Amino acid sequence: MAELLLDLFCEEIPSGMQARAAEDLARLLEQALADLNPRNIRSFYGARHIAASLEVDESIPTRTISERGPRENAPEKALAGFSRKHGVSPDELTKENGFWMLNRTLPPVKAAELIAEQLPDLLWKFPWPKAMRWGNGSLFTWVRPLHHIACLLDGQTVPFSLARQDDDAHGLKSGNVSEGHRILSPGTFTVTSTEQWLKELEARHVVINETKRADLIREGVRKLAKDKGLTLVEDEGLVQEVSGLVEYPVPLLGRIDDAFMDLPPEVMQVSMRVNQRYFALRTQDGRAAPYFAFVANQTFSDGGTLCIAGNERVLRARFADARHFWDLDRKTKLADRVEALKLVTFHAKLGTQEERTQRISTLAGIIAKAMGLDDAQVKHAERAGLLAKADLTTGMVGEFPELQGVMGGYYAAHDGEAPEVAQAVAEHYMPRGLQDGTASAPVSVAVALADRLDMLAGFFTIGETPSGSGDPYGLRRAALGVIRTIRDNGLRIDLGSLLSRAAEAYADKEGKDSALDELEAFFTDRLRVQLRNEGRRHDVLDATLAVTQVQEDRSLFTDHLDGDLVRLLSRVEALSDMMGTEDGRNLLAAYRRATNILRIEEKKDGPHHQAPDAALYAQDEERKLDAALNDAGPKITASLAEDDFTSAMQHLAALRPIMDRFFEAVTVNADDAGQRLNRLRLLSAFSRNGQLIADFGRIEG
């Protein structure tokens, strides 16, 4: 066993590329050195280092390889071609099982030899998302200029060069040197092992462990905030980004000028984050604090006083820009900006943003009525829908697109719009992500749903639907936002009907009718994914979606999404609970037995949907099952009508012991033809009772 360390030292690597590069390096080394049985692979990354350490065998032992060639009766040209390909003469081949075989004994290969052979090609082809050329025109590229390649096997340098033919690859060769912090510990140092490399980096002010680096940032900023009686606005994405920017994190605290404290807190936070990678802080009552935190990449002899002053000066300039947009935007009313949306294209096939706001406004009013809101709230929803996208024409949103909606809410409030309208404009993008909450104010909910349903109906109508991993318009996220909003607010609305109303705005488009079917299937699939992510059984959802409707004395399965998602999910939960009980599992077994018999016998003389004739019953078990079915059917129907799915399941589960006794005592395929048909009709009646609730045949297990 030997230890291999590969440390690639270059100029500052973009923060977002580091983790993926470290994973790629470990993966590619494992593939390239597979014959050395690589194991215990560790990867490291930081602002200027991408590295990996692993254990490998010291050599590849002598081994014999066999490769099958052409058939014995193949033309001589085929045999000659195979021999030429492998650099042997036909005399060196043997015949085995009707084929020519090449058996070769390969000499042992030392690990250092294989590493030196494989690594140049690995580095030339390294999969950076973006790479650059530099220097004297070499075609070798790296994410940033590469300075050192430290490659050691058990402490000894593995020598290789990246030069190829006439390309010197900037003179890059492997060695045993690396570097520490650019400012605090400049210069190179000699590397002898992984542990020595780690200790030397730590001594030279480089925290190479990404988890430790992030912890130092996170906890350091929290402590600074706590010392001032403040709290940190948690932002894990910013922690990870800053972690990739610094090698030796030193958290510091700066003060915000009082003159800027009347800016909206979201403006302050986004400006600090996007422009300067600063952390926002809050007071104990949740208001924006007059302080900000940032992370320097070095220590200071003055405790950071000069550095803090410099960052405060930079922030004043940033906030002055924000102040300019804030003051300028408020000079034009939000309602007056709607006209300007005619110049903003939403999509070439779906018109302008102004046309879209008209659709959202109409649909928001329809949804508000479906939610049972009063006339005033309906008007507020329509008004908010009309204003929802107007802030796209503001300078603030142009500078910070992350503030869409948020700024519209502030500007609407400034203009004297109703509080419900301003709130709905601000919240209609919720949820913005998986961790974000959903809108809860009634008017906000109506506008949030209208925004997403219009977008979904539009893109599905023109055929711009998600495919594979591609979803350029975020339609999966939009559908999930609809589902979450409905679930979180317990809305008893018909989603299918609302989708139909949303599609009416695209009546002139050719794909409107098929789009509705695709949308329904799309929502069903999103619901499956959501339930699966929550650890729920997707098969129970499928069974529930296939609810039976008894029409004209025949059962009809439908796979359409129940538009009332709250009712559908209550049904799924009740069925899941029942399937977790012994009665539920036994009932499922009885249902499958009954439907299997019916499936076979209906090919002969089915269907058997007619009511059974009580006069033909020959055994008490038949009579008891008939009585139980007649009793359970109306109770199940009544419970379902009241959305009392738990009671419906209980009434169905009560049939289990009666079905067990029926199957134990009664021969369904009796010799008497009349009794056989009657018993099949009895099983069909049992099956139909079950199908009032779900298609149990779709439940697994």
Side-chain angles (χ1 to χ4, degrees):
M1 180 184 74
E3 178 193 74
L4 172 64
L5 171 66
L6 178 64
D7 175 27
L8 306 166
F9 176 85
C10 64
E11 297 296 328
E12 280 75 3
I13 306 166
S15 181
M17 295 186 188
Q18 295 169 15
R20 177 62 183 272
E23 292 174 5
D24 286 339
L25 181 61
R27 173 178 56 82
L28 293 172
L29 282 172
E30 186 175 19
Q31 293 174 358
L33 306 179
D35 290 338
L36 293 173
N37 299 315
R39 52 205 177 270
N40 298 328
I41 302 176
R42 292 186 291 168
S43 59
F44 309 90
Y45 61 88
R48 298 196 294 165
H49 294 265
I50 298 293
S53 172
L54 58 155
E55 295 174 358
V56 296
D57 292 344
E58 294 182 355
S59 65
I60 304 173
T62 301
R63 62 204 187 281
T64 300
I65 63 168
S66 298
E67 187 161 351
R68 192 173 71 177
R71 291 184 177 275
E72 289 183 19
N73 56 358
E76 290 186 7
K77 287 185 178 180
L79 185 60
F82 178 76
S83 302
R84 187 166 54 253
K85 173 184 175 182
H86 294 282
V88 297
S89 66
D91 295 340
E92 297 178 65
L93 305 180
T94 60
K95 295 180 180 180
E96 294 181 21
N97 300 321
F99 289 89
W100 289 101
M101 297 292 297
L102 173 62
N103 298 309
R104 289 192 295 182
T105 299
L106 299 181
V109 178
K110 293 182 178 180
E113 295 175 5
L114 182 64
I115 293 168
E117 176 188 339
Q118 294 291 328
L119 259 57
D121 193 51
L122 184 154
L123 297 179
W124 269 87
K125 296 179 179 178
F126 197 82
W128 290 106
K130 292 183 179 180
M132 64 177 289
R133 295 178 183 173
W134 70 94
N136 59 8
S138 169
L139 295 180
F140 178 79
T141 63
W142 201 247
V143 63
R144 293 292 184 269
L146 182 62
H147 293 311
H148 302 298
I149 304 172
C151 184
L152 294 97
L153 184 67
D154 271 353
Q156 299 299 312
T157 300
V158 178
F160 62 83
S161 169
L162 296 189
R164 286 182 170 183
Q165 298 176 348
D166 297 331
D167 193 324
D168 71 348
H170 312 290
L172 287 167
K173 298 179 180 179
S174 62
N176 64 347
V177 298
S178 189
E179 292 189 28
H181 196 282
R182 185 192 300 276
I183 298 171
L184 299 178
S185 302
T188 62
F189 66 90
T190 301
V191 182
T192 60
S193 70
T194 299
E195 291 308 313
Q196 178 266 346
W197 173 74
L198 290 171
K199 291 178 181 178
E200 196 71 30
L201 284 178
E202 184 176 1
R204 291 173 178 269
H205 302 91
V206 174
V207 181
I208 195 62
N209 183 292
E210 64 278 6
T211 302
K212 181 179 179 181
R213 202 164 56 240
D215 286 343
L216 288 171
I217 294 169
R218 193 184 299 108
E219 298 307 319
V221 171
R222 283 176 181 164
K223 184 179 185 305
L224 289 175
K226 185 178 180 181
D227 290 345
K228 288 286 186 181
L230 307 173
T231 59
L232 170 68
V233 177
E234 297 293 339
D235 191 338
E236 189 58 28
L238 183 56
V239 170
Q240 296 302 323
E241 183 176 6
V242 173
S243 175
L245 297 175
V246 298
E247 293 184 307
Y248 193 74
V250 179
L252 297 170
L253 198 67
R255 203 178 196 292
I256 299 173
D257 242 338
D258 292 340
F260 299 111
M261 290 307 297
D262 62 335
L263 286 172
E266 295 89 348
V267 171
M268 298 169 67
Q269 180 179 347
V270 171
S271 179
M272 288 190 291
R273 187 193 199 285
V274 172
N275 291 320
Q276 300 302 134
R277 308 303 186 267
Y278 294 163
F279 292 88
L281 306 176
R282 292 282 185 267
T283 60
Q284 293 300 324
D285 57 4
R287 293 181 294 108
Y291 292 92
F292 66 96
F294 66 99
V295 180
N297 190 31
Q298 65 177 91
T299 57
F300 303 93
S301 58
D302 64 354
T305 301
L306 189 60
C307 179
I308 292 171
N311 280 273
E312 289 175 343
R313 184 170 59 253
V314 170
L315 188 59
R316 281 195 293 273
R318 294 297 188 185
F319 280 174
D321 292 341
R323 164 75 70 192
H324 168 73
F325 291 127
W326 173 241
D327 292 339
L328 184 64
D329 288 343
R330 288 182 296 170
K331 292 180 179 180
T332 303
K333 287 188 175 183
L334 198 63
D336 295 338
R337 293 182 178 276
V338 174
E339 184 71 15
L341 291 175
K342 291 181 178 179
L343 302 177
V344 182
T345 300
F346 172 57
H347 187 278
K349 296 181 180 179
L350 297 176
T352 66
Q353 287 286 6
E354 190 273 338
E355 292 172 312
R356 184 159 188 252
T357 60
Q358 298 292 344
R359 295 194 300 267
I360 294 173
S361 176
T362 300
L363 189 55
I366 293 170
I367 295 172
K369 292 176 182 177
M371 292 169 58
L373 304 188
D374 60 36
D375 291 344
Q377 290 173 310
V378 171
K379 291 185 180 300
H380 289 329
E382 292 171 343
R383 179 68 173 174
L386 185 66
L387 302 179
K389 306 299 176 183
D391 66 354
L392 295 176
T393 67
T394 65
M396 190 73 82
V397 172
E399 181 74 8
F400 302 115
E402 301 90 337
L403 294 177
Q404 294 176 45
V406 172
M407 296 314 303
Y410 279 110
Y411 296 143
H414 174 268
D415 297 342
E417 298 285 351
E420 296 89 345
V421 172
Q423 183 179 9
V425 172
E427 295 179 347
H428 82 280
Y429 284 104
M430 296 174 65
R432 295 174 183 266
L434 291 176
Q435 306 303 319
D436 193 20
T438 54
S440 57
V443 176
S444 301
V445 168
V447 181
L449 290 176
D451 179 33
R452 288 167 174 79
L453 293 179
D454 172 74
M455 182 169 67
L456 287 160
F459 281 112
F460 268 77
T461 297
I462 63 174
E464 295 282 357
T465 58
S467 59
S469 60
D471 186 12
Y473 302 109
L475 301 185
R476 293 190 181 104
R477 185 171 63 250
L480 182 57
V482 171
I483 292 171
R484 286 186 57 197
T485 300
I486 291 174
R487 292 180 67 185
D488 290 354
N489 291 281
L491 298 182
R492 303 303 303 274
I493 56 177
D494 186 343
L495 178 58
S497 174
L498 295 179
L499 285 172
S500 180
R501 296 299 297 271
E504 287 178 3
Y506 304 96
D508 59 327
K509 307 290 184 183
E510 291 183 4
K512 181 179 80 72
D513 294 333
S514 61
L516 277 175
D517 292 336
E518 290 181 29
L519 261 177
E520 190 174 275
F522 183 68
F523 268 99
T524 300
D525 184 60
R526 289 297 91 200
L527 193 56
R528 285 193 185 100
V529 171
Q530 179 67 10
L531 293 180
R532 190 179 299 118
N533 290 341
E534 294 174 3
R536 300 195 185 193
R537 293 177 53 168
H538 64 87
D539 59 327
V540 173
L541 172 64
D542 292 339
T544 307
L545 288 172
V547 160
T548 301
Q549 301 172 350
V550 179
Q551 298 178 351
E552 299 178 359
D553 198 32
R554 63 187 179 88
S555 62
L556 174 68
F557 278 123
T558 67
D559 279 313
H560 297 299
L561 181 68
D562 185 339
D564 188 338
L565 294 187
V566 173
R567 178 175 60 202
L568 172 64
L569 293 172
S570 296
R571 202 170 191 142
V572 169
E573 186 173 354
L575 183 55
S576 296
D577 290 344
M578 189 178 79
M579 287 298 100
T581 66
E582 184 178 357
D583 276 351
R585 290 188 289 271
N586 290 337
L587 182 67
L588 177 60
Y591 178 89
R592 286 177 172 168
R593 185 172 179 181
T595 53
N596 285 339
I597 293 172
L598 287 170
R599 184 171 58 252
I600 295 170
E601 298 305 316
E602 285 187 354
K603 294 177 182 178
K604 301 176 183 177
D605 51 8
H608 304 101
H609 296 324
Q610 299 89 336
D613 184 354
L616 295 177
Y617 292 149
Q619 296 177 238
D620 287 342
E621 286 77 12
E622 295 174 273
R623 299 183 184 91
K624 289 179 180 179
L625 178 56
D626 181 57
L629 290 172
N630 290 331
D631 179 62
K635 291 180 178 178
I636 293 172
T637 302
S639 295
L640 292 176
E642 296 175 1
D643 291 347
D644 187 353
F645 304 115
T646 300
S647 293
M649 302 297 172
Q650 291 171 346
H651 294 315
L652 185 62
L655 296 174
R656 194 271 299 179
I658 301 170
M659 284 301 302
D660 289 347
R661 289 192 290 272
F662 175 84
F663 281 125
E664 289 172 3
V666 178
T667 301
V668 176
N669 285 317
D671 293 335
D672 183 282
Q675 286 184 344
R676 171 184 168 275
L677 283 175
N678 206 51
R679 290 169 180 174
L680 289 171
R681 291 170 182 173
L682 196 56
L683 290 185
S684 181
F686 166 66
S687 176
R688 288 199 301 277
N689 270 283
Q691 291 167 4
L692 289 171
I693 294 175
D695 177 6
F696 286 86
R698 301 196 183 197
I699 297 178
E700 300 172 0

